Amino acid sequence: MEWLRPVVDYGVIGLLVCLSVLAVAVAIERRRFYGKVALAAYTDKRELELALTRRLHLIATVGSNAPYIGLLGTVLGIMLTFYTMGVDGFMDTGKIMVGLALALKTTAVGLLVAIPAVTMYNFLTRRAKELLLGWEIAHHG
């Protein structure tokens, strides 16, 4: 079960870092798009809504799943700690606590990814709604 250590350290945390980069990249792209979108160029509200909400689901998916991915890493880390305790027999509490602390870091990283992702999603969704309302006001005055 020693193979779990790199899975937790590099696999789970690496996946969370990649998801975080994805969410930030999409948020930056969407924010830039919102800043330069020409509402007058859209004659159909549904077409505008599609353009405004494009890729927002990626940020929402990262925000909603990152805590679970972090929790998976924690469970794997705890399994590794218990396995090591079983194989080694008696372990001192220092080794146990270090193993559990290392296991919990994936939950912390998952939360550090999820909280900004959910916040970015909420801000961007709100901005998209504001732009849609602006379009409606301009076209149905």
Side-chain angles (χ1 to χ4, degrees):
M1 292 244 326
E2 281 300 315
W3 59 271
L4 273 181
R5 186 171 310 281
V7 168
V8 171
D9 281 343
Y10 301 111
V12 174
I13 292 177
L15 176 61
L16 287 167
V17 168
C18 289
L19 291 174
S20 180
V21 168
L22 172 71
V24 169
V26 170
I28 290 170
E29 183 276 329
R30 290 285 82 198
R31 184 66 186 112
R32 285 183 176 169
F33 176 75
Y34 294 165
K36 65 180 180 179
V37 67
L39 296 179
Y42 293 90
T43 56
D44 183 23
K45 179 185 174 189
R46 293 173 299 178
E47 184 182 347
L48 174 61
E49 188 171 2
L50 276 173
L52 292 175
T53 59
R54 187 167 289 126
R55 289 184 288 282
L56 285 182
H57 66 283
L58 295 173
I59 300 171
T61 301
V62 169
S64 61
N65 287 299
Y68 296 115
I69 295 169
L71 183 60
L72 173 64
T74 297
V75 169
L76 293 174
I78 290 172
M79 286 172 51
L80 179 61
T81 300
F82 286 153
Y83 176 79
T84 304
M85 288 169 51
V87 168
D88 292 349
F90 179 75
M91 284 181 63
D92 66 30
T93 56
K95 281 188 176 181
I96 295 169
M97 292 302 120
V98 167
L100 295 178
L102 292 176
L104 289 171
K105 74 180 172 185
T106 58
T107 296
V109 173
L111 292 172
L112 287 173
V113 170
I115 293 168
V118 170
T119 303
M120 288 184 293
Y121 175 78
N122 288 336
F123 281 127
L124 291 169
T125 302
R126 174 64 185 159
R127 183 66 182 130
K129 287 179 182 178
E130 289 172 356
L131 290 167
L132 279 169
L133 286 173
W135 183 91
E136 282 183 0
I137 290 167
H139 285 79
H140 299 292

